[in-house]
Amino acid sequence: MELTGTTTLLVALKAEAQPLIDHYKLKSARQHPFPIYANEQLKIVITGIGKCPSATALAHTAAFFSALPNHIWINFGIAGHKDHTIGTAVSVSKVINKSSQQTWYPNLIKLPNTLVKSLTTYEAVVGDYVDDTLCDMEAAGFMSAGSSLHIKSECLFVFKVISDNKLSDAKNITKNLVAGLVKMHIPTLEALIKKAEIKVQDARNGKLELGSELFEKWHFTQTQKSQLREGIRRFRALDKETLWQDMELDNCATAKDVIENLNRRLQKLLPKF
Amino acid sequence: MFSFIYVEKSIKKHPRTLKILSRFPKSTVITCEHYGEIFNRHQQDFRIQKKDPCLILAEKHNKRIMPAPPEYGLNTTHNYYFSHMLNCIYDCRYCFLQGMFRSAHNVIFVNYEDFIEDIRALAVKTREPIWFYSGYDCDSLALDPITGFSRSFIEAVSLIDNAFLELRTKSTQVRKLLEMKPRDNVICAFSLSPSAVIKSLEHQTPSLAARLSAAKKLQLAGWPVALRLDPIVFVENFRAEYKFLFEQITEKLDFETLHSITIGAFRLPKRFFKTIKNLYPEEPLFSSQFNSDNGQVSYKKSTEKKILDWCEASLKSRKNCPPVYRQSLE
């Protein structure tokens, strides 16, 4: 199965994933250490509970699938908070690893009916809800792996739904409750994905691979490849009306001739405003 | 204007923080320990952030006033620059800040009093004129109604006999200055470009007409006004574009009373150029013929000389031309 999507959701539990799998009609991609469900745009990876599984799943998915530049990664799932009502949607502004006190700042997008709060990732389920932060067991692993893999901070999001609080602690969480909470916030999640996509789209378009079709016709050294790419980039920027592919290159015997031809054309061009 | 505002914990209750936050009642405020946690983190994309930057309120602890780069002054000996902000609300494609900073978020340092104390401390060390340039890492006035920057600094610097303050801006936010008594030692320097360059490269900035109008208001109120034609961009129809700009300047402003005009051709440190070019590979400006030596990317020396010679001659050919200074790497 070809997995080329532009957004990946990492969730800890099947119960968190199932409403999304149903909603987006995702299909299972087999032969991975983590269950993965996907369509052309979206992947959902079920990481399992805890920081380490969350980090490993992100690393595996990022390494295994050739992601587009600025692929969006979202850690989605349930979390606790001492006071907030069950079902409250939260965009996480800061992730704190309780054991190391290391912090990360995921990207934020303004969403309707969504709080913005810090989150602390614990090693185990929390019963006392001491801090005024959300609590979960995965986000720090997700952020840590994302940073280590040099994923851009603009592409890392943590989005949670409150599932437990002082009045109804984690022991009361059921599959049905989780499914209901996730279903309730599919529109908000969709808004997040859409807005994130719009933000990164422009930067994604700017980084297209250039000139690779010429590499089959002439033999370019690595240096010449880089000179050609830079030449084509400049040509495309300076002359938006002419396709660089329309340049007459048939008379060029070598890669060096191609580059010289291109450079001659470039010398005549000045920025037009 | 800013959906999210990060505030350093230590200045959360600073009067200036509270005043600035009161201007953004709909923004979500997030507390951080140090602005660098957000501003200096690795793997940020300036281009993506620039579409919807956050505001960060912070305290500047050290290196508040820095010696100005050698080519930055007006043939004066003691030149310093300072930045009460990092980054700018405008989006000029040639701006070196895109290459210098990892982040496009806007930082405001709220501890003006510490900056002013440092200015005083430097000024007392000499009896000669000492220049302080604002607008190097930001636009001095673009957020003035929110930051209250001009009033705080002008009132303080005007009390120092040998100090001069230059406020460099592309903005039209001169209302606060117009409410104050003009000061001879405070110069408002407007960065200008031909309209075609503004339209193509100086995104989200006020039009040339609006800038000239703001400059004229200041002149009429008695403030010294300077012009900064830097960077000059070598475009198709270069002479026609810049000739028209000079005509508009002489027509709209009181040309002979301008404090000074500086001219400088487009140039960038090499590493900044590389970063910016990678951010905007489709940008025609970064596809011109450039020279790259001594760590700088600039037009070929001969081209740069022609650009500056022509601009200088063209300006000086006009009646009662104010002093023209070159900002060049030479």
Side-chain angles (χ1 to χ4, degrees):
Chain A
M1 185 179 180
E2 186 72 19
L3 294 179
T4 55
T6 51
T7 299
T8 299
L9 298 177
L10 286 98
V11 303
L13 305 165
K14 178 76 186 282
E16 292 165 317
Q18 195 59 55
L20 299 167
I21 294 167
D22 297 339
H23 178 80
Y24 289 106
K25 299 183 173 57
L26 305 181
K27 288 182 181 161
S28 171
R30 297 185 188 283
Q31 295 173 336
H32 292 288
F34 302 90
I36 296 179
Y37 296 83
N39 64 19
E40 281 184 3
Q41 279 80 43
L42 184 70
K43 276 194 287 289
I44 293 183
V45 184
I46 302 173
T47 65
I49 295 170
K51 282 183 285 189
C52 190
S54 176
T56 316
L58 172 53
H60 169 79
T61 317
F64 197 86
F65 303 107
S66 54
L68 272 172
N70 303 328
H71 188 91
I72 308 286
W73 300 88
I74 302 170
N75 174 218
F76 174 68
I78 55 170
H81 184 270
K82 60 177 180 180
D83 300 323
H84 290 306
T85 315
I86 292 173
T88 307
V90 182
S91 281
V92 174
S93 56
K94 180 179 182 178
V95 174
I96 306 153
N97 185 350
K98 184 68 180 176
S99 56
S100 66
Q101 287 301 305
Q102 200 176 350
T103 57
W104 298 268
Y105 291 84
N107 197 5
L108 288 169
I109 283 177
K110 200 96 178 168
L111 295 167
N113 305 317
T114 304
L115 291 181
V116 176
K117 295 286 291 184
S118 298
L119 175 150
T120 306
T121 299
Y122 292 84
E123 304 291 335
V125 176
V126 174
D128 50 5
Y129 305 101
V130 181
D131 305 321
D132 182 28
T133 66
L134 272 66
C135 44
D136 87 334
M137 293 173 63
E138 289 81 31
F142 170 83
M143 290 303 297
S144 169
S147 305
S148 301
L149 292 165
H150 302 299
I151 293 172
K152 286 178 187 169
S153 56
E154 290 70 42
C155 298
L156 291 168
F157 295 86
V158 179
F159 182 72
K160 300 282 180 179
V161 181
I162 302 293
S163 58
D164 51 288
N165 54 27
K166 270 196 296 199
L167 296 175
S168 175
D169 69 16
K171 286 180 203 137
N172 296 325
I173 297 172
T174 63
K175 278 185 189 175
N176 282 345
L177 173 70
V178 174
L181 294 175
V182 172
K183 261 188 210 167
M184 190 163 79
H185 288 292
I186 287 176
T188 322
L189 187 61
E190 275 182 331
L192 168 62
I193 294 171
K194 196 174 168 190
K195 286 183 177 182
E197 283 285 334
I198 291 168
K199 264 192 168 185
V200 304
Q201 191 64 45
D202 181 39
R204 203 179 262 162
N205 288 342
K207 294 184 173 68
L208 299 174
E209 189 65 18
L210 300 170
S212 48
E213 51 269 58
L214 298 185
F215 300 158
E216 291 164 17
K217 222 169 167 184
W218 291 274
H219 173 71
F220 287 81
T221 63
Q222 285 305 319
T223 306
Q224 286 172 327
K225 279 182 185 175
S226 137
Q227 288 169 344
L228 179 76
R229 285 197 193 101
E230 175 61 3
I232 293 173
R233 182 197 66 76
R234 288 180 56 205
F235 188 86
R236 281 173 39 141
L238 289 169
D239 187 350
K240 295 194 180 349
E241 284 153 22
T242 312
L243 286 174
W244 68 268
Q245 290 94 333
D246 291 344
M247 277 192 297
E248 289 172 14
L249 299 171
D250 290 344
N251 296 334
C252 297
T254 63
K256 194 180 165 194
D257 295 340
V258 174
I259 292 164
E260 280 175 2
N261 188 322
L262 185 57
N263 285 341
R264 273 197 299 277
R265 293 285 294 266
L266 283 167
Q267 275 172 8
K268 294 174 194 158
L269 296 172
L270 270 179
K272 289 178 204 164
F273 296 137
Chain B
M1 188 174 185
F2 298 107
S3 300
F4 300 100
I5 304 179
Y6 293 88
V7 180
E8 281 184 356
K9 207 171 170 179
S10 61
I11 51 113
K12 233 179 149 177
K13 290 182 180 162
H14 191 288
R16 201 162 284 116
T17 303
L18 299 175
K19 202 170 175 188
I20 293 169
L21 289 179
S22 72
R23 300 292 300 261
F24 302 103
K26 289 183 179 169
S27 301
T28 303
V29 178
I30 300 155
T31 308
C32 63
E33 294 297 325
H34 186 267
Y35 78 94
E37 290 176 299
I38 296 102
F39 194 75
N40 292 334
R41 61 190 160 171
H42 294 276
Q43 296 302 316
Q44 299 189 75
D45 191 308
F46 196 99
R47 181 168 176 163
I48 297 173
Q49 278 187 10
K50 192 71 192 175
K51 287 183 173 178
D52 187 18
C54 300
L55 179 64
I56 304 172
L57 302 181
E59 182 176 10
K60 182 84 172 156
H61 292 282
N62 50 35
K63 295 185 178 174
R64 285 182 284 259
I65 314 289
M66 300 291 288
E71 74 274 13
Y72 206 70
L74 304 171
N75 291 350
T76 46
T77 313
H78 306 287
N79 302 307
Y80 293 87
Y81 77 93
F82 66 97
S83 304
H84 72 294
M85 280 187 69
L86 304 179
N87 273 324
C88 173
I89 57 167
Y90 304 135
D91 188 15
C92 299
R93 197 52 67 243
Y94 52 70
C95 180
F96 73 98
L97 298 177
Q98 303 165 107
M100 188 165 81
F101 295 138
R102 289 179 184 156
S103 173
H105 297 322
N106 294 279
V107 181
I108 299 174
F109 296 115
V110 298
N111 53 325
Y112 295 174
E113 293 71 18
D114 294 328
F115 283 83
I116 290 165
E117 201 47 53
D118 291 354
I119 286 173
R120 280 199 197 106
L122 279 165
V124 295
K125 285 183 183 170
T126 178
R127 289 184 176 188
E128 293 177 25
I130 181 166
W131 281 78
F132 297 96
Y133 295 94
S134 160
Y136 189 70
D137 295 334
C138 64
D139 185 290
S140 296
L141 298 179
L143 285 181
D144 201 41
I146 291 156
T147 62
F149 162 77
S150 63
R151 184 173 289 277
S152 299
F153 280 77
I154 289 170
E155 282 178 355
V157 172
S158 61
L159 297 174
I160 307 170
D161 286 342
N162 58 334
F164 289 83
L165 174 66
E166 177 182 299
L167 308 172
R168 189 174 289 198
T169 190
K170 287 190 178 92
S171 90
T172 55
Q173 300 287 1
V174 295
R175 194 162 54 87
K176 298 279 175 194
L177 273 80
L178 293 172
E179 288 168 3
M180 298 167 74
K181 190 177 77 165
R183 264 69 168 203
D184 289 342
N185 64 338
V186 177
I187 290 93
C188 194
F190 286 85
S191 293
L192 301 181
S193 294
S195 289
V197 173
I198 291 174
K199 198 175 163 201
S200 302
L201 296 176
E202 298 179 1
H203 307 297
Q204 294 157 38
T205 61
S207 67
L208 174 63
R211 288 184 221 177
L212 288 170
S213 163
K216 181 69 181 176
K217 280 181 197 163
L218 287 177
Q219 279 193 320
L220 289 172
W223 287 89
V225 168
L227 301 182
R228 303 291 170 247
L229 312 181
D230 187 4
I232 292 170
V233 182
F234 191 47
V235 291
E236 212 173 51
N237 303 321
F238 163 76
R239 288 186 183 198
E241 294 288 356
Y242 279 85
K243 188 176 170 224
F244 188 55
L245 169 67
F246 300 158
E247 280 166 6
Q248 285 173 292
I249 290 169
T250 46
E251 189 183 311
K252 307 277 180 190
L253 299 180
D254 188 359
F255 189 59
E256 62 179 288
T257 64
L258 284 171
H259 172 271
S260 58
I261 301 175
T262 55
I263 54 173
F266 172 75
R267 64 210 179 278
L268 277 175
K270 196 175 170 182
R271 65 191 176 95
F272 295 172
F273 181 87
K274 193 178 168 191
T275 305
I276 302 170
K277 189 183 76 177
N278 286 336
L279 279 176
Y280 298 96
E282 73 282 11
E283 173 53 55
L285 177 67
F286 308 131
S287 303
S288 307
Q289 296 278 350
F290 289 117
N291 245 13
S292 174
D293 53 24
N294 295 329
Q296 292 284 336
V297 170
S298 58
Y299 294 118
K300 280 194 282 186
K301 287 291 154 219
S302 56
T303 310
E304 183 179 299
K305 189 172 180 306
K306 270 186 209 164
I307 291 170
L308 296 182
D309 284 351
W310 183 84
C311 286
E312 189 173 345
S314 181
L315 285 164
K316 284 185 172 169
S317 69
R318 285 151 216 276
K319 203 177 159 192
N320 298 323
C321 181
V324 177
Y325 300 97
R326 289 189 183 207
Q327 309 279 285
S328 150
L329 299 168
E330 292 285 329

